[in-house]
């Protein structure tokens, strides 16, 4: 079965969101700058033996086109947060954008990567790799990549990382659902037994406790992502 993945590319104007996206989807580099209003792309890829149908939303960075932001954040499953290593403000802008994503998604762990693009522009660089690493650490070790859309450096890696995070999250959600169903089944069974023996109530406290412990251990595991710089 093919799984659907909606990925949203966010960041300030001109940082290279469209260039990175088009390089990933079509394998070409766009030299000209044409500010995006909103573009959507599809790409079928296989990740870890699973067919994935990616829907990538390339969003507007320029302020006059950002009205739709809230809506597409709501529908996104994974996010690429892009700044340019040649533009300090573009990294500062990402802090507010990440806050907006977390507020709208209202989840503890949102699949996300941090991207410092235009890594080929050595002479114009104002942000170092360490600046990116610092932000990644502040964000709880969100995977960080320096990319060059021009040379396709780390572009596929960044997209695949976010797809893997979505996969992991969905696997966790479906495991939790399964666990909950089993718990309900068990409760129903024990209720039947109790009623048959002496009409006593169900003692599900230990099962619930186990359930909570297992969820807590999963959560702590999912925090232990490492930061990737190639
Ligand atoms: N040298 C270099 N230039 C890049 C790179 N990525 C993008 N650019 C250039 O930067 C300019 C802006 O790139 P876009 O991809 O249009 O930027 P954007 O973030 O989509 O901009 P908005 O749609 O306005 O938000 C273009 O002229 C690109 O060719 C890169 O990795 N290296
Ligand atoms: Mg664009």
């Amino acid at each position: 079965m093919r799984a659907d993945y909606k990925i949203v590319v966010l960041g300030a104007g001109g940082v290279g969101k469209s260039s990175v996206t088009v390089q990933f989807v079509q394998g070409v580099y766009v030299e000209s700058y044409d500010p995006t209003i909103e573009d959507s792309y599809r790409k079928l890829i296989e990740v870890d033996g699973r067919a994935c149908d990616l829907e990538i939303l390339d969003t507007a960075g320029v302020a006059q086109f950002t009205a739709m932001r809230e809506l597409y954040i709501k529908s996104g499953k994974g996010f690429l947060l892009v700044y340019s290593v040649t533009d300090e403000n573009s990294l500062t802008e990402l802090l507010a954008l990440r806050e907006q994503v977390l507020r709208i998604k209202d989840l503890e762990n949102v699949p996300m990567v941090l991207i410092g693009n235009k890594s080929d522009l050595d002479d114009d660089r104002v942000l170092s790799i360490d600046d990116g690493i610092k932000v990644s650490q502040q964000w709880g070790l969100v995977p960080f990549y320096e990319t060059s859309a021009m040379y396709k450096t780390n572009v596929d890696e960044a997209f695949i990382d976010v797809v893997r995070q979505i996969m992991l999250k969905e696997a966790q959600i479906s495991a939790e659902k399964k666990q909950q169903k089993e718990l309900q089944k068990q409760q129903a069974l024990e209720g039947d037994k109790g009623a048959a023996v002496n009409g006593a109530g169900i003692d599900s406290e230990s099962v619930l406790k186990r359930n909570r412990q297992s969820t807590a251990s999963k959560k702590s595991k999912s925090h232990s992502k490492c930061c990737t710089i190639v």
Side-chain angles (χ1 to χ4, degrees), residues 11-20 29-37 58-62 117-121 147-151:
V15 296
K17 298 180 295 301
S18 301
S19 307
V20 165
Y29 174 61
V30 187
E31 183 86 55
S32 60
Y33 178 33
D34 179 14
T36 307
I37 297 177
D58 173 24
T59 69
V62 176
N117 188 44
K118 306 197 187 182
S119 64
D120 57 286
L121 290 178
T147 61
S148 165
M150 186 180 249
Y151 294 108

Side-chain angles (χ1 to χ4, degrees), residues 9-24 28-36 41 56-62 80-87 90 94 115-121 147-153 155 159:
V9 187
L10 295 166
V15 296
K17 298 180 295 301
S18 301
S19 307
V20 165
T21 306
V22 171
Q23 194 44 289
F24 175 64
V28 291
Y29 174 61
V30 187
E31 183 86 55
S32 60
Y33 178 33
D34 179 14
T36 307
Y41 299 86
I56 303 164
L57 198 68
D58 173 24
T59 69
V62 176
L80 272 82
L81 268 64
V82 187
Y83 68 93
S84 164
V85 300
T86 64
D87 174 4
S90 70
L94 277 192
I115 292 180
N117 188 44
K118 306 197 187 182
S119 64
D120 57 286
L121 290 178
T147 61
S148 165
M150 186 180 249
Y151 294 108
K152 209 178 188 214
T153 314
V155 171
F159 275 94

Side-chain angles (χ1 to χ4, degrees), residues 6-223:
K6 197 161 193 168
I7 294 170
V8 184
V9 187
L10 295 166
V15 296
K17 298 180 295 301
S18 301
S19 307
V20 165
T21 306
V22 171
Q23 194 44 289
F24 175 64
V25 176
Q26 298 168 355
V28 291
Y29 174 61
V30 187
E31 183 86 55
S32 60
Y33 178 33
D34 179 14
T36 307
I37 297 177
E38 186 187 301
D39 287 321
S40 176
Y41 299 86
R42 293 295 282 270
K43 187 176 171 81
L44 291 175
I45 57 165
E46 202 182 292
V47 178
D48 304 333
R50 250 186 108 176
C52 307
D53 188 354
L54 309 189
E55 186 185 337
I56 303 164
L57 198 68
D58 173 24
T59 69
V62 176
Q64 77 231 51
F65 300 138
T66 54
M68 299 290 288
R69 203 176 253 164
E70 186 126 355
L71 270 180
Y72 44 65
I73 291 177
K74 236 179 226 168
S75 67
K77 284 187 180 168
F79 298 86
L80 272 82
L81 268 64
V82 187
Y83 68 93
S84 164
V85 300
T86 64
D87 174 4
E88 198 170 352
N89 283 337
S90 70
L91 183 54
T92 316
E93 272 188 50
L94 277 192
L95 308 184
L97 256 173
R98 174 176 149 92
E99 285 307 313
Q100 194 178 5
V101 171
L102 296 183
R103 178 176 54 77
I104 292 170
K105 299 307 284 181
D106 196 22
L107 291 170
E108 227 179 279
N109 261 319
V110 180
M112 186 182 283
V113 293
L114 173 66
I115 292 180
N117 188 44
K118 306 197 187 182
S119 64
D120 57 286
L121 290 178
D122 288 330
D123 293 344
D124 299 326
R125 182 191 271 274
V126 293
L127 293 166
S128 66
I129 287 188
D130 281 347
D131 292 321
I133 292 175
K134 249 184 243 155
V135 172
S136 143
Q137 285 169 341
Q138 278 165 17
W139 292 0
L141 286 185
V142 162
F144 166 58
Y145 294 86
E146 276 205 349
T147 61
S148 165
M150 186 180 249
Y151 294 108
K152 209 178 188 214
T153 314
N154 282 338
V155 171
D156 291 356
E157 288 83 348
F159 275 94
I160 287 168
D161 192 319
V162 89
V163 171
R164 285 213 175 97
Q165 290 182 49
I166 299 171
M167 280 178 169
L168 191 71
K169 182 145 200 108
E170 304 222 314
Q172 278 170 352
I173 290 171
S174 83
E176 272 167 20
K177 273 189 192 154
K178 204 171 147 193
Q179 218 175 16
Q180 216 155 17
K181 257 191 203 162
E182 258 157 35
L183 175 64
Q184 280 165 353
K185 238 195 255 170
Q186 214 169 327
Q187 281 179 330
L189 257 165
E190 284 178 20
D192 283 351
K193 258 193 238 159
V197 177
N198 54 11
I202 309 156
D203 176 23
S204 59
E205 192 47 42
S206 59
V207 186
L208 275 169
K209 201 170 157 194
R210 215 172 41 215
N211 196 10
R212 264 183 242 121
Q213 275 168 347
S214 139
T215 314
S217 87
K218 261 185 208 155
K219 272 184 189 157
S220 68
K221 265 183 209 155
S222 69
H223 276 301

